[in-house]
Amino acid sequence: MRLRHLACAAVLAVALPACAVTAGEHASILDAQTLRIGVKGDQPGLGLRTGVDTYAGFDVDVAYYIAGELGVAREDVEFVQVTSEEREDVLIDDEVDLVLATYSITQLRKTVVNFGGPYYVARQDILVRADNTDIQGVEDLAGRKLCQGAGSNSANRIIEERGIDAQRVERATYSECIDLLAVGVVDAVSTDDLILAGYLAEAPSAFRLVGEPFTSEKYGIGVAKEDVAGCEAVNRAVTQMYQDGTASRLLDKWFGDTGLDLVRTVPQFEGCG
């Protein structure tokens, strides 16, 4: 379904009948008394499922903060686990009201959903096994097996954009990529440094973060395309989160011991609409 939505957006100008996208009516989040928020469930430090209906991580805490600024109580927030591949679909099909799931803002995605934020600007890096000293930067991935989660752009930025001849291996989630890395099926996993730092924190003796970031990844809050007013309210909430010190506190809570150079200033917003 995701491919259909994005393909339709790419040819919107010619209005092909086959590309009609059926979506539910979207009420503005400004009128919400409850919120359904899409988060990851397998990314330690960001969005990790800890029980039947409970999640923990930076994205989860940011989601609670934004909900509070929108006037929705913590107990009225429902989290929905999503994969990278599902993020557009769950918004378009009105299965969630917001998505906070390490959701990088791209021009193509902006054709089908709105983005508040970014609420953080991460940087793409590389995770390898601890005993691998051959990979010291992105150029060293040539000829190596590189794993990415389905629906992610991380391998594209290396193979297509930088012309590095790595062998792409794709799995449904980054957790599956990490499992392949641990047993030597792939040589590296490359994605946002916050994601990699969460996995590294769980097994510091097994992996090594290369520490040579090479892109900026703007984490956005996905909002229904037509809800411009709701998107603008999300931006006001993110601004307040940085100004009152909550953002810095949450970054320290989840990543303070990782050694990452954390960004603590309000990111430049992309704009709604």
Side-chain angles (χ1 to χ4, degrees), residues 230-248:
C231 177
E232 291 171 344
V234 167
N235 282 346
R236 291 192 292 272
V238 173
T239 299
Q240 179 64 23
M241 183 179 71
Y242 275 87
Q243 290 179 342
D244 67 16
T246 299
S248 184

Side-chain angles (χ1 to χ4, degrees), residues 124-206:
Q124 187 169 341
D125 212 319
I126 303 163
L127 194 71
V128 298
R129 291 183 297 281
D131 59 358
N132 184 331
T133 59
D134 295 330
I135 298 176
Q136 298 294 335
V138 66
E139 294 81 6
D140 298 325
L141 294 173
R144 310 280 186 171
K145 291 183 179 180
L146 174 67
C147 192
Q148 76 164 19
S152 171
N153 289 317
S154 61
N156 292 338
R157 295 190 179 102
I158 294 167
I159 298 170
E160 278 83 14
E161 294 179 12
R162 293 177 173 265
I164 294 171
D165 187 22
Q167 181 180 343
R168 185 200 320 263
V169 176
E170 189 165 277
R171 290 294 183 269
T173 67
Y174 272 105
S175 288
E176 294 178 50
C177 285
I178 296 298
D179 291 341
L180 295 184
L181 179 63
V183 297
V185 174
V186 300
D187 300 299
V189 177
S190 182
T191 187
D192 311 341
D193 53 3
L194 289 189
I195 296 174
L196 297 178
Y199 290 120
L200 179 62
E202 288 206 323
S205 62

Side-chain angles (χ1 to χ4, degrees), residues 1-7 84-86 88-89 109 151:
M1 187 182 295
R2 175 178 176 273
L3 293 177
R4 172 173 64 83
H5 287 314
L6 295 184
S84 295
E85 202 169 20
E86 296 169 336
E88 284 84 42
D89 287 344
R109 289 169 177 167

Side-chain angles (χ1 to χ4, degrees), residues 19-185:
C19 280
V21 176
T22 302
E25 291 294 324
H26 296 272
S28 174
I29 56 174
L30 293 178
D31 302 321
Q33 295 181 328
T34 63
L35 284 173
R36 301 158 300 165
I37 303 179
V39 295
K40 291 292 183 69
D42 67 328
Q43 292 181 345
L46 286 158
L48 186 66
R49 190 170 186 170
T50 56
V52 175
D53 296 311
T54 57
Y55 295 81
F58 178 67
D59 283 358
V60 175
D61 284 347
V62 172
Y64 275 130
Y65 184 93
I66 290 172
E69 291 296 301
L70 294 173
V72 176
R74 188 181 183 95
E75 60 269 21
D76 292 323
V77 174
E78 175 190 353
F79 289 111
V80 178
Q81 185 172 337
V82 299
T83 66
S84 295
E85 202 169 20
E86 296 169 336
R87 292 175 297 198
E88 284 84 42
D89 287 344
V90 293
L91 280 167
I92 293 168
D93 296 335
D94 200 27
E95 295 175 18
V96 300
D97 304 299
L98 298 170
V99 171
L100 283 97
T102 58
Y103 198 5
S104 295
I105 300 171
T106 70
Q107 290 304 310
L108 182 56
R109 289 169 177 167
K110 286 171 71 173
T111 63
V112 291
V113 302
N114 234 319
F115 280 106
Y119 61 96
Y120 191 77
V121 180
R123 291 168 293 180
Q124 187 169 341
D125 212 319
I126 303 163
L127 194 71
V128 298
R129 291 183 297 281
D131 59 358
N132 184 331
T133 59
D134 295 330
I135 298 176
Q136 298 294 335
V138 66
E139 294 81 6
D140 298 325
L141 294 173
R144 310 280 186 171
K145 291 183 179 180
L146 174 67
C147 192
Q148 76 164 19
S152 171
N153 289 317
S154 61
N156 292 338
R157 295 190 179 102
I158 294 167
I159 298 170
E160 278 83 14
E161 294 179 12
R162 293 177 173 265
I164 294 171
D165 187 22
Q167 181 180 343
R168 185 200 320 263
V169 176
E170 189 165 277
R171 290 294 183 269
T173 67
Y174 272 105
S175 288
E176 294 178 50
C177 285
I178 296 298
D179 291 341
L180 295 184
L181 179 63
V183 297
V185 174

